[in-house]
Amino acid sequence: MRILITGGAGFLGSHLCERLLKEGHEVICLDNFFTGRKKNVVHLLKNPDFELVRHDVTNPFHFEVDQIYNLACPASPPHYQHNPIKTTKTSFLGAMHSLGLAKRVGARVFQASTSEVYGDPEVHPQPETYKGCVNPIGIRSCYDEGKRVAETLFFDYHRQHGTEIRVVRIFNTYGPNMLPDDGRVVSNFIVQALQGKDLTIYGDGTQTRSFCYVDDLIEGFVRLMNHPTLQGPVNIGNPGEFTMLQLAEMVLKKVGGPSKITFHPLPGDDPKQRRPDITLASKELGWQPQVTLEQGLEPTIEYFRKLVKG
C-alpha cells in the first residue's frame, strides 16, 4: 500500500515509518520538524519506497494514498504549551485536512488521540466509555481539547461521509527517538541521571502513570488500522502502573551515579493517576503489551547515553 504518515519524523512516527517499510509498503513521511527530527528518519532516505516531505498540517496537503496515519502534534507539555494556539490549530486542522484527503481519495484514516482526553480522571482505570474530566480553559487544554475535537471531527466525517476511520487513545509511551528535552517524565529522569543531576519530581511522587514501550504501541497501531471494522476509540497502553517515585528509583538504579531525588510544586491540571483499561484492545485486536518497564528502560537509556555523550 501507499501510506501517508503526518508527523512521521517524530518519536512515534519514525518508528511507524520503519515498521511499515519493513512490511513492504510505500511510505510518505510528512513533517514540519517542530518536534520531529530529520535524523530520526535520515537512514530511511536510501529506501526507494520512502519519501520525506516538509509540510505543516495546518495547511492542506494532497497525495494519492491508501491509508493515512495522522500523528502530527507536539505531545509533551513544554512543547504543546510553547505555542498553545498553534497546538489547537494543529490538532483541529491536521485532523480536518487528513479527513478531507481521506474522503477525496477513499483512504482509511487513523487518528492518534491521547489518554489526555480523559483529563484528571475520576474513574480508574480508564475505559473508552469514560467521557473524561477535562478543564477546557486550563494550561493543558490546547492539547486535551484539541485532541477531543479531533475525535469529534473523525466520527462526524464517518457519520456524514462514510469515511473509514480508526481512532486510538495513546497512554504514556517511551523509547528510542524521544527528544532529550521533551519534558516527559521518562526522558527527564534518564537525562538528569546520565548528567549526574538530581531527578526532579513534581508533587509528592505518589501520582501514577502507565508506561508503554514504543514497539508495543506501534504493534497496536498497525493492528487497529488493519482491523476490518473496529473504528475505536481504542486505548493502547501498558496497564502496569507506577508512581513517579518508583520510576525515579528504577532509573537511578539502572543509570547509577550521584543523582538524588528532589521534589517541586505540581504544575496546573496535572492528572493524579492514569492507567488504561485495555479490555477492548485485548479482545478485538488480540493486543497485549509484551515489554515490561524494566525491559524497555534498557534500550531507552542506551539511546539517551549516546545522545548525552555526543
Side-chain angles (χ1 to χ4, degrees), residues 108-184:
R108 181 176 293 177
V109 58
F110 177 105
Q111 169 65 12
S113 189
T114 172
S115 59
E116 299 295 335
V117 301
Y118 299 123
D120 190 0
E122 296 163 328
V123 171
H124 194 71
Q126 294 81 56
E128 292 85 352
T129 51
Y130 177 52
K131 293 182 175 63
C133 176
V134 178
N135 176 6
I137 58 170
I139 59 170
R140 299 170 69 108
S141 307
C142 58
Y143 185 69
D144 302 1
E145 296 289 19
K147 290 290 190 177
R148 283 165 70 97
V149 77
E151 286 195 18
T152 301
L153 203 54
F154 262 68
F155 279 89
D156 284 335
Y157 258 79
H158 171 69
R159 285 185 286 258
Q160 195 166 331
H161 301 299
T163 308
E164 273 201 80
I165 63 166
R166 301 290 183 267
V167 177
V168 70
R169 289 177 179 163
I170 302 167
F171 283 70
N172 292 59
T173 304
Y174 68 98
N177 293 3
M178 293 181 85
L179 291 171
D181 62 346
D182 76 356
R184 285 185 270 202

Side-chain angles (χ1 to χ4, degrees), residues 10-86:
F11 165 42
L12 301 181
S14 57
H15 285 275
L16 183 59
C17 286
E18 287 191 4
R19 167 67 184 265
L20 296 176
L21 287 167
K22 279 179 187 169
E23 291 182 357
H25 301 293
E26 288 182 50
V27 173
I28 302 168
C29 169
L30 205 69
D31 209 296
N32 70 346
F33 304 115
F34 174 58
T35 55
R37 291 292 179 267
K38 197 175 287 186
K39 68 180 180 182
N40 287 343
V41 293
V42 71
H43 62 289
L44 303 176
L45 289 170
K46 60 182 179 286
N47 188 324
D49 290 330
F50 181 73
E51 184 179 349
L52 178 60
V53 180
R54 182 189 285 268
H55 186 84
D56 190 317
V57 296
T58 59
N59 300 309
F61 40 90
H62 306 280
F63 299 94
E64 293 292 328
V65 291
D66 304 297
Q67 291 184 343
I68 303 161
Y69 285 85
N70 182 37
L71 274 54
C73 190
S76 70
H79 288 150
Y80 65 65
Q81 290 168 6
H82 171 72
N83 187 340
I85 295 170
K86 176 77 174 192

Side-chain angles (χ1 to χ4, degrees), residues 183-199:
R184 285 185 270 202
V185 66
V186 173
S187 51
N188 273 3
F189 284 173
I190 292 173
V191 170
Q192 286 171 340
L194 288 170
Q195 293 176 336
K197 296 177 180 176
D198 290 343
L199 273 60

